[in-house]
């Protein structure tokens, strides 16, 4: 079986540790709409500018650590932690913070906890969907005390891919040949996907269900 | 229309114990919820929790012996292979250990403390291969696992699929719901117009093996929806519930249907759910079991599916536990529902962010 979609949009956003950059980004959204949004949520919201998920769309979201700062702040709030950090600490909150202010309902939303095969699993899951458009998003947030413990990302970044019909040419293609020879135990991390997107490098990610998910680009970044 | 997905095997664990004990005690109207300090050994306000063991930090986590025993029938290297995918789901994974690490920085806690490290640890301990998809979407987590398992079977990518889900309580989770004020000093009374609303939380875990061969129990529809309206509230017009139930309405005969709702005990979501169910399926009895089990969070869809199967086997579904007063609709059943003439069930779950899930379960006697 071979599944294929065109990449109709692709974006990547990193946020440095400069607080001024974060606040400038926050201020670029409508007044107060991102007042309590985490840095991860801001990076994701920035990527969604100009895009609109439709009610029949699918969103696949993948993150290893997800809302690290909300987790850290919630835990540091004990014995009386706050409600905002709790609701923001849940795994899919990064992308929810970007979409809730825009009131964009979707049919299917799959938040993956990313592991060694996350790139193949996230793209493969998007290819399996019957919706006309499937979005693949991924993100991490730089931690503080969890980073010191080796339990958080050392960067804040987000990426977004819009996948549509292969009949409509786009920036590239994502395909999954489920019978292609590969090593199903091989790794295909979010870092691999990020590198492919940022540098428009071809990607070949072994899928643990069999075969390979392949990313090809038609254009330079 | 894809073919129905068969439930080959299914088991669950709640604060009452195994499936049969849980069904029996729910049927007797009992609750496993007990007033418990919100921070466990750390004290705090008394809130309704249904626990298998005290919320004490440990390595391995206090819940690991319970979970590993429950899933021992599927702890095998035959799972997680290319044709036998596993879908591992939880809302909170080993967050109790991250909580413990934040207070006592012992690195041993971290091995179980992050969602990703906890999932990899479980995969290794249960001898599964690499084909494990890990999902975390709050209280619809297990539902997503069932959805993707069915999708893999329908796509011809799997011969059989395994879904495992668990959520065991911790001070992290209890304090979080307490901060939101929906876990408070009151016990839940689902589908009652009461202010303030209240939830109880409970330990829960379950697993199911699915395939496409014939079986007495099938999932004919697995529906998803996401409002993205508010972090902790649904659209006030109930459109999220309406959109969820619409695709199932044409397949379901209200006279042979019963509904196991999400019914946590929060007032507004309970009203929206009960009203939408009564409008789409007039006369179909609606029950919630979270007043007895507590809300088992990410595992609730699978835990309550196992109890729905037991209900069909016994010919009787436990009524809504914890509710005795007026209800939002006459369909809310506060006593056991006789299933002699009922052959299908609608099983609902919701989550933060306005996520919805619905399973249409059919029983061929």
């Amino acid at each position: 079986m071979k599944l294929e979609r065109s990449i109709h949009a692709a974006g990547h956003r990193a946020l440095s540790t400069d607080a001024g950059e974060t606040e400038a980004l926050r201020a670029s959204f409508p007044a107060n709409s991102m007042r309590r949004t985490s840095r991860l949520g801001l990076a994701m919201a920035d990527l969604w500018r100009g895009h609109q998920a439709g009610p029949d769309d699918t969103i696949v979201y993948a993150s290893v650590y997800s809302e690290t700062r909300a987790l850290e702040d919630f835990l540091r709030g004990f014995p009386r932690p706050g409600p905002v950090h709790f609701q923001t600490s849940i795994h899919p909150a990064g992308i929810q913070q970007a979409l809730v202010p825009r009131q964009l309902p979707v049919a299917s939303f799959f938040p993956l906890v990313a592991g060694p095969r996350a790139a193949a699993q996230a793209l493969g899951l998007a290819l399996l969907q019957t919706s006309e458009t499937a979005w693949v998003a991924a993100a991490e947030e730089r931690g503080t005390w969890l980073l010191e413990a080796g339990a958080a990302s050392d960067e804040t970044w987000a990426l977004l891919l819009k996948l549509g019909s292969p009949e409509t040419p786009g920036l590239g293609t994502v395909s999954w040949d489920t019978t292609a020879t590969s090593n199903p135990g091989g790794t295909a991390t979010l870092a691999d996907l990020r590198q492919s997107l940022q540098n428009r490098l071809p990607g070949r990610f072994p899928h643990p269900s069999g075969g390979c998910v392949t990313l090809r680009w038609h254009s330079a970044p | 229309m894809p073919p129905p997905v068969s439930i080959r095997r299914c088991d669950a664990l709640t604060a009452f114990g195994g499936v049969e004990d849980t069904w029996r005690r729910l049927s007797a109207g009992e609750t496993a919820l007990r007033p418990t300090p919100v921070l466990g050994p750390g004290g705090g306000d008394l809130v309704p929790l249904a626990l298998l063991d005290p919320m004490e930090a440990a390595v391995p986590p206090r819940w690991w012996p319970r979970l590993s025993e429950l899933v021992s029938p599927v702890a095998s290297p035959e799972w997680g292979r290319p044709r036998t995918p596993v879908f591992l789901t939880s809302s909170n994974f080993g967050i109790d250990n991250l909580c413990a690490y934040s207070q006592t920085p012992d690195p041993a806690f971290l091995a179980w403390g992050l969602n990703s490290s906890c999932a990899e640890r479980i995969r290794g301990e249960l001898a599964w291969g690499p084909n494990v998809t890990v999902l975390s979407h709050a209280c619809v987590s297990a539902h997503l696992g069932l959805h993707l398992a069915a999708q893999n079977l329908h796509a011809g990518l799997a011969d059989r699929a395994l879904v495992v889900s668990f959520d065991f309580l911790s001070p992290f989770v209890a304090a979080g719901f307490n901060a939101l004020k929906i876990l408070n000093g009151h016990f839940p009374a689902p589908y009652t117009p009461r202010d303030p609303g209240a939830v109880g939380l409970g330990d829960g875990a379950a697993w199911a093996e699915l395939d496409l061969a014939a079986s007495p129990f099938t999932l004919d529809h697995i529906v998803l929806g996401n409002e993205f309206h508010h972090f902790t509230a649904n659209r006030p017009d109930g459109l999220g519930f309406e959109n969820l139930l619409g695709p199932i309405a044409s397949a379901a005969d209200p006279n042979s249907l019963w509904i196991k709702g999400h019914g946590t005990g929060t007032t507004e979501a309970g009203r929206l759910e009960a009203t939408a169910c009564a409008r789409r399926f007039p006369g179909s009895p609606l029950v919630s079991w979270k007043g007895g089990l507590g809300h088992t969070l990410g595992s609730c869809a699978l835990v309550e599916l196992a109890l729905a199967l037991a209900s069909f086997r016994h010919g009787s579904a436990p009524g809504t536990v914890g509710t005795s007063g007026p209800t939002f609709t006459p369909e809310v059943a506060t006593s056991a529902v006789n299933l002699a003439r009922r052959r299908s069930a609608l099983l609902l779950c919701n989550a933060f962010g306005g996520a919805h899930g619905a399973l249409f379960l059919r029983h061929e006697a």
Side-chain angles (χ1 to χ4, degrees):
Chain A
M1 179 168 66
K2 186 169 183 182
L3 303 164
E4 185 169 293
R5 282 182 184 261
S6 278
I7 302 170
H8 290 160
H12 175 271
R13 180 68 155 97
L15 267 181
S16 73
T17 54
D18 176 9
E21 184 188 2
T22 300
E23 290 318 305
L25 178 56
R26 194 185 305 279
S28 70
F29 290 98
N32 285 332
S33 66
M34 295 286 165
R35 188 166 51 93
R36 291 173 162 175
T37 305
S38 69
R39 298 174 78 244
L40 186 156
L42 286 171
M44 187 58 76
D46 197 28
L47 284 176
W48 278 93
R49 280 189 223 253
H51 296 305
Q52 180 137 338
D56 298 324
D57 288 2
T58 296
I59 298 175
V60 180
Y61 171 71
S63 180
V64 178
Y65 303 107
S66 197
E67 285 288 346
T68 298
R69 292 296 300 274
L71 268 175
E72 291 178 335
D73 292 344
F74 182 78
L75 288 166
R76 285 296 188 237
F78 271 73
R80 293 205 173 275
V84 173
H85 289 140
F86 177 65
Q87 68 189 38
T88 311
S89 74
I90 64 171
H91 186 75
I95 193 166
Q96 285 178 329
Q97 288 179 93
L99 297 180
V100 167
R102 297 186 51 192
Q103 302 282 292
L104 294 174
V106 298
S108 307
F109 174 42
F110 301 105
L112 299 179
V113 176
R117 291 156 284 274
Q121 288 174 317
L123 294 171
L125 208 165
L127 290 170
L128 272 180
Q129 305 309 309
T130 55
S131 57
E132 189 175 319
T133 301
W135 304 81
V136 175
E140 301 292 355
E141 185 177 42
R142 180 184 167 87
T144 59
W145 58 269
L146 278 173
L147 176 59
E148 290 171 15
S153 171
D154 60 359
E155 284 182 273
T156 299
W157 60 269
L159 66 80
L160 182 66
L161 290 164
K162 180 183 182 184
L163 306 181
S165 164
E167 311 297 321
T168 310
L171 305 172
T173 59
V174 180
S175 58
W176 181 11
D177 182 348
T178 60
T179 59
T181 306
S182 75
N183 169 17
T187 60
T189 65
L190 288 188
D192 296 326
L193 176 60
R194 184 185 176 202
Q195 191 178 36
S196 173
L197 187 153
Q198 272 188 291
N199 302 310
R200 297 293 195 265
L201 296 172
R204 186 173 161 81
F205 309 123
H207 197 290
S209 278
C212 247
V213 177
T214 304
L215 200 52
R216 290 193 189 87
W217 297 95
H218 303 326
S219 63
Chain B
M1 180 72 70
V5 172
S6 294
I7 304 168
R8 185 65 43 207
R9 295 187 285 172
C10 186
D11 200 4
L13 177 68
T14 75
F16 281 132
V19 170
E20 288 303 309
D21 284 342
T22 301
W23 176 86
R24 182 173 50 78
R25 296 182 70 177
L26 282 180
S27 296
E30 293 181 36
T31 181
L33 293 166
R34 300 286 180 269
T36 308
V38 67
L39 301 177
D45 298 342
L46 295 178
V47 295
L49 304 180
L51 296 163
L52 281 155
D53 315 284
M55 295 189 296
E56 290 175 357
V59 178
R62 59 121 178 154
W63 46 264
W64 175 244
R66 302 277 192 181
L67 180 63
S68 57
E69 183 183 351
L70 174 72
V71 301
S72 59
V74 289
S76 159
E78 72 184 57
W79 287 106
R81 301 295 157 193
R83 303 289 303 171
T84 55
V86 177
F87 299 88
L88 176 62
T89 82
S90 175
S91 179
N92 298 290
F93 287 92
I95 198 75
D96 43 346
N97 274 31
L98 193 64
C99 196
Y101 178 81
S102 73
Q103 291 158 16
T104 308
D106 177 349
F109 284 127
L110 280 180
W112 294 85
L114 303 172
N115 292 355
S116 48
S117 63
C118 183
E120 268 301 291
R121 187 72 184 247
I122 290 171
R123 187 182 75 79
E125 295 280 349
L126 299 179
W128 294 336
N131 197 8
V132 179
T133 301
V134 186
L135 294 138
S136 184
H137 190 189
C139 305
V140 297
S141 296
H143 184 86
L144 294 190
L146 291 164
H147 181 95
L148 292 184
Q151 202 166 57
N152 273 252
L153 290 164
H154 288 145
L157 288 169
D159 300 320
R160 53 205 170 101
L162 175 64
V163 184
V164 175
S165 191
F166 68 96
D167 255 295
F168 293 86
L169 301 180
S170 66
F172 183 103
V173 173
F177 278 92
N178 187 229
L180 292 172
K181 301 191 188 310
I182 55 176
L183 180 67
N184 48 48
H186 299 283
F187 274 51
Y191 307 128
T192 301
R194 187 180 74 174
D195 191 24
V199 305
L201 303 180
D203 286 339
W207 61 271
E209 178 183 340
L210 308 180
D211 61 33
L212 295 179
S215 158
F217 292 109
T218 56
L219 295 172
D220 291 16
H221 301 274
I222 305 177
V223 185
L224 305 175
N226 291 273
E227 298 179 21
F228 285 137
H229 166 71
H230 186 276
F231 264 92
T232 55
N234 297 106
R235 285 175 59 112
D237 60 4
L239 190 62
F241 291 92
E242 292 289 340
N243 289 343
L244 180 79
L245 300 180
I248 295 172
S250 58
D253 172 5
N255 294 318
S256 70
L257 179 76
W258 61 284
I259 304 171
K260 190 285 304 166
H262 189 58
T264 60
T266 56
T267 306
E268 187 58 10
R271 182 184 68 78
L272 293 170
E273 182 179 53
T275 305
C277 287
R279 199 179 78 74
R280 285 284 187 182
F281 308 105
S284 298
L286 169 66
V287 300
S288 163
W289 299 327
K290 291 186 174 71
L293 306 174
H295 184 356
T296 65
L297 304 170
S299 72
C300 73
L302 198 43
V303 168
E304 294 174 9
L305 170 62
L307 294 169
L309 302 186
S311 299
F312 274 123
R313 284 194 293 265
H314 287 282
S316 173
T320 300
V321 179
T323 296
S324 56
T327 56
F328 288 118
T329 65
E331 280 81 0
V332 175
T334 55
S335 55
V337 178
N338 186 329
L339 302 185
R341 292 186 304 109
R342 299 194 183 272
R343 288 286 168 263
S344 56
L346 183 59
L347 313 177
L348 305 176
C349 59
N350 304 329
F352 283 165
H356 295 272
L359 300 172
F360 185 71
L361 170 67
R362 193 183 297 277
H363 178 219
E364 295 297 336

